[in-house]
Amino acid sequence: MTCSLTETQVDGLHTNVFLPDTAPRSVLIIRTPYDAGAYRAEAHAWVRRGIGVVTQDVRGRHRSRGRFRPFENEGADGLATLQWVASRSWAGAPVILYGTSYSAHCAVETAIAAAEAGVDAVGGVSVAVPALGSVRRHATSMDASTCSRGWAGGSNTVKDPNRPAPQSLTACSTRCR
C-alpha cells in the first residue's frame, strides 16, 4: 500500500497528513511538542495497514506558530484539529486520539474539549505515559502533571489548581511522593 503525504497548516499549527491509497479504516491524530516530522516512519507503518495518520506540532514548537505554553492550549487546539480532520472527505472512518507522554496529555485534553463542546467526532483514545512508570492514584489527588512538570518547560506551577483534574490524570508514580 502506498502512502501520500500532505503538509498543511491548521490554525497556524504545522500538520502532516499521511493517507493510504484507499479510504482509511481509521485516522489517528498525534499532536506533539517533539517534532511531528519525527513520526514519519511510524505513520508509514500505520498507513501500510490502511490507517491514516495526522501528526501536528503543538503551538510554538518546531514548525507551528505561536508560543509554547505547556498544558495551556492543548484542548482548544486539539479540538480545532479534530474538527478539521472530521471535515475532510477522507475522514469517514473513526478518529482516534493517540499519544505517549506529552502527546497523551494532548489526546486527553482534546477528548475533554470535544465532550464539553458536544463534538461527537472521537472514535477512541489510546494513550500511555511511560515516564510515570507504575501508575497509581496520587494520595492527595494532585494533578499528575505536577509530578513531572520539570521536563515541560521548567515550570512546576499548576495552570489552574482549582480546576479538578480528570480521573485519567490524577495518577502519579510512587517516586513522586
Side-chain angles (χ1 to χ4, degrees):
M1 184 168 294
T2 61
C3 177
S4 69
L5 167 62
T6 303
E7 293 188 28
T8 189
Q9 293 281 320
V10 177
D11 289 347
L13 305 179
H14 178 75
T15 306
N16 300 310
V17 180
F18 301 86
L19 295 173
D21 51 8
T22 60
R25 297 182 312 161
S26 62
V27 177
L28 301 178
I29 296 177
I30 305 169
R31 302 189 61 253
T32 181
Y34 309 125
D35 186 6
Y39 288 83
R40 192 172 296 241
E42 181 177 353
H44 283 280
W46 284 112
V47 167
R48 282 194 302 275
R49 291 161 179 81
I51 297 170
V53 178
V54 175
T55 64
Q56 183 179 71
D57 290 324
V58 299
R59 186 164 305 285
R61 298 291 289 160
H62 301 279
R63 295 173 62 188
S64 286
R65 289 182 258 164
R67 182 171 172 213
F68 181 53
R69 295 174 188 238
F71 306 101
E72 285 190 22
N73 301 306
E74 309 320 341
D77 287 347
L79 178 59
T81 302
L82 175 65
Q83 291 174 312
W84 181 85
V85 168
S87 73
R88 303 294 101 180
S89 62
W90 42 262
V95 177
I96 311 299
L97 306 173
Y98 177 81
T100 59
S101 192
Y102 191 89
S103 297
H105 169 75
C106 293
V108 170
E109 287 295 319
T110 300
I112 291 168
E116 290 175 349
V119 174
D120 187 27
V122 178
V125 179
S126 177
V127 299
V129 184
L132 293 179
S134 176
V135 178
R136 68 178 184 82
R137 179 177 287 199
H138 192 276
T140 64
S141 295
M142 178 191 312
D143 181 351
S145 60
T146 303
C147 297
S148 57
R149 283 278 169 115
W151 61 266
S155 172
N156 286 323
T157 60
V158 176
K159 175 176 67 171
D160 181 357
N162 296 316
R163 178 180 176 220
Q167 288 297 320
S168 59
L169 297 180
T170 55
C172 188
S173 78
T174 55
R175 63 180 178 267
C176 286
R177 285 176 159 249

